[in-house]
Structures are given as C-alpha cells and as structure tokens.
C-alpha cells in the first residue's frame, strides 16, 4: 500500500540491514540468515532470510531479492526441546537408578545415568568407550541368559532384567 518495507525492520536491526545490502551490492548472497523482523501489527517475528542480488543482462546488480520465512514455530519447538532435555537431565542425574540408551545397532552408547558409577562401581566413560563392556560385569551364572535377551530383544522396546553384578572389588 505504498509503505516502505523498512516498516518491518526493528530499529535495533537497522545496521544489520545496511550491512546486508552493502554486501548484496558487492554480489554476495545470504541464505538462511536468521534474525528478527516486525509483523504489520509491530510484533516481532523470527525469520530466516535469503537475500540475493538481482542482475541485468549485462551482469550489473540492479536490485535485491529477499525471501523471509517465519521460523517462529521452529524456534518455539527448539526451545521446548531444550527445556525437555534439561528436565530429562535433571531427573536422570538425580535418581539412584541405572539406565542407558544406545543407538539402534547397540554399538554406540547415547546416554548412561550417573547411577552406573555408584551401583556398578565402574566409570560411565568405560561404557561410552566400549558399549558391550557391561556384559563383563554380569555374574557368570546370569551372563548367557542376559546375552541372549540383549541379542533378541527388539530395538524399539525397553527392557528390564534381573541379574547379579560383580563389581570391580569382587562384591
């Protein structure tokens, strides 16, 4: 309606826009640059900008093309994920239980609860370094049964098993 697109630029972002346009004049392109702009009602909106120079047939830069994508939902989802991960970490690090998570191939340890060190008497780092080392801690009377259960359990399911451990001190 005849208004300048600069209306969508928050005052604190003016230098950012000037810097982008200076680089566009030099032929550079910005892809997926994340920043903040304003909606028509003046409220802030998180956006991903792609800004490219427009050239005429001779290759002279005659303008700029800008695409702004609203990334508000993605940013909110990322913040929610961080909060969820922090809640998980708080719970996992403050219970006196042992649990771990592996990748689907069961060859890489993704997480080991701190209770592993207290209950198993072994450092968590050892399990990260060698994910199958936990089997060596199982009492010989239980090892074959637990090995078979670990081998045949579907990857998508949690498992619970009862077995005896032998700690490094022999207990």
């Amino acid at each position: 309606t005849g208004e300048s697109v600069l209306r969508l630029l928050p005052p604190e972002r003016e230098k950012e826009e000037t810097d982008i346009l200076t680089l566009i004049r030099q032929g550079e392109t910005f892809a997926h640059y994340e920043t903040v702009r304003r909606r028509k009602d003046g409220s802030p909106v998180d956006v991903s900008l792609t800004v490219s120079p427009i050239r005429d047939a001779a290759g002279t830069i005659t303008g700029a093309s800008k695409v702004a994508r609203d990334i508000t939902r993605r940013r909110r989802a990322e913040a929610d994920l961080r909060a969820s991960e922090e809640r998980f970490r708080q719970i996992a690090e403050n219970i006196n239980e042992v649990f771990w998570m592996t990748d689907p191939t069961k060859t890489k340890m993704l997480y080991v609860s701190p209770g592993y060190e207290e209950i198993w008497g072994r450092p968590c780092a050892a399990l990260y370094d060698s994910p199958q080392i936990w089997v060596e801690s199982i009492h010989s009377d239980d090892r074959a049964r637990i090995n078979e259960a670990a081998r045949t359990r579907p990857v998508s399911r949690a498992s619970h098993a009862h077995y005896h451990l032998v700690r490094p001190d022999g207990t």
Side-chain angles (χ1 to χ4, degrees), residues 22-34:
T22 297
L23 292 171
I24 292 298
R25 285 185 196 101
Q26 296 169 6
E28 293 196 34
T29 297
F30 282 83
H32 311 292
Y33 177 74
E34 294 186 7

Side-chain angles (χ1 to χ4, degrees), residues 3-19:
E3 293 185 52
S4 169
V5 72
L6 296 177
R7 174 177 173 233
L8 303 176
L9 186 64
E12 68 274 8
R13 300 289 180 153
E14 288 177 11
K15 180 174 178 352
E16 173 184 282
E17 187 74 5
T18 302
D19 292 346

Side-chain angles (χ1 to χ4, degrees), residues 58-154:
T60 304
I61 297 171
T62 59
S65 166
K66 183 185 290 189
V67 176
R69 291 171 192 84
D70 183 342
I71 59 171
T72 304
R73 274 193 222 138
R74 188 190 86 206
R75 286 260 176 104
R76 191 174 306 124
E78 289 169 350
D80 290 348
L81 179 60
R82 282 190 300 276
S84 176
E85 288 171 344
E86 178 60 20
R87 284 190 300 273
F88 168 80
R89 189 187 65 75
Q90 289 292 327
I91 291 168
E93 292 182 3
N94 290 294
I95 61 172
N96 192 24
E97 301 290 330
V98 177
F99 69 95
W100 58 72
M101 294 180 286
T102 65
D103 70 333
T105 64
K106 302 178 190 175
T107 59
K108 181 178 179 187
M109 203 54 69
L110 303 175
Y111 181 82
V112 180
S113 67
Y116 179 80
E117 292 188 1
E118 183 177 332
I119 295 171
W120 288 52
R122 292 171 166 77
C124 291
L127 201 52
Y128 283 112
D129 291 342
S130 179
Q132 296 301 318
I133 200 167
W134 67 275
V135 175
E136 296 172 12
S137 304
I138 297 172
H139 191 278
S140 58
D141 291 347
D142 298 329
R143 192 172 296 156
R145 176 178 54 85
I146 295 303
N147 268 333
E148 181 63 15
R151 188 183 66 75
T152 60
R153 178 185 54 86

